[in-house]
Amino acid sequence: MTEDLWSLLRSTYTVQRMVDNLRLSDAAGTTTPEQEREYRLHRAALAQRHVAAAATTGSDPEEASQDAELTANQLWKHDALHGSHRGPLPATHPSWKASNLGDYVRQEAAAAGLDPR
């Protein structure tokens, strides 16, 4: 297995741990917008990586693209609602459109030090 695939697997595991933590937090009523954002950011960055790796992993490229669009939209909406961007252009900036939300994810992932390839 290549290093890129190992990295993808590690990122997938990280996102799964975040899902588990969110479930526990939701059950306890202690989930915060910051915690939700961190999950949404990691999940959207991971989805972007899955699009790039679809051929290598044997994934359906169309499904990967749809998931990337959905998760990018969820992150963008969350950041617009909470003003929680870290990159140079906020989610409410007029340059962000449904057609370029993958770029928003890449901006935010880069600001957080994640790999959104």
Side-chain angles (χ1 to χ4, degrees):
M1 191 179 293
T2 68
E3 182 55 36
D4 284 345
L5 289 177
W6 278 116
S7 176
L8 189 63
L9 186 60
R10 283 190 298 273
S11 294
T12 301
Y13 176 71
T14 297
V15 168
Q16 185 57 52
R17 277 195 338 235
M18 291 176 151
V19 168
D20 294 343
N21 289 338
L22 274 174
R23 284 187 186 134
L24 292 172
S25 184
D26 283 348
T30 59
T31 303
T32 65
E34 294 81 14
Q35 185 181 12
E36 286 180 8
R37 186 201 193 265
E38 191 72 11
Y39 162 72
R40 291 180 193 282
L41 174 60
H42 277 78
R43 179 67 180 84
L46 179 61
Q48 294 290 320
R49 291 183 66 194
H50 274 280
V51 170
T56 305
T57 62
S59 300
D60 180 347
E62 183 62 30
E63 284 183 22
S65 292
Q66 288 173 353
D67 185 50
E69 288 175 21
L70 175 67
T71 58
N73 192 287
Q74 290 172 341
L75 173 64
W76 174 72
K77 285 181 178 179
H78 183 274
D79 283 356
L81 179 65
H82 296 284
S84 52
H85 73 284
R86 294 182 188 156
L89 294 179
T92 55
H93 193 277
S95 66
W96 299 123
K97 311 261 186 275
S99 62
N100 69 350
L101 292 182
D103 293 336
Y104 181 75
V105 170
R106 285 184 282 281
Q107 169 193 277
E108 293 302 303
L114 300 177
D115 180 9
R117 288 182 262 166

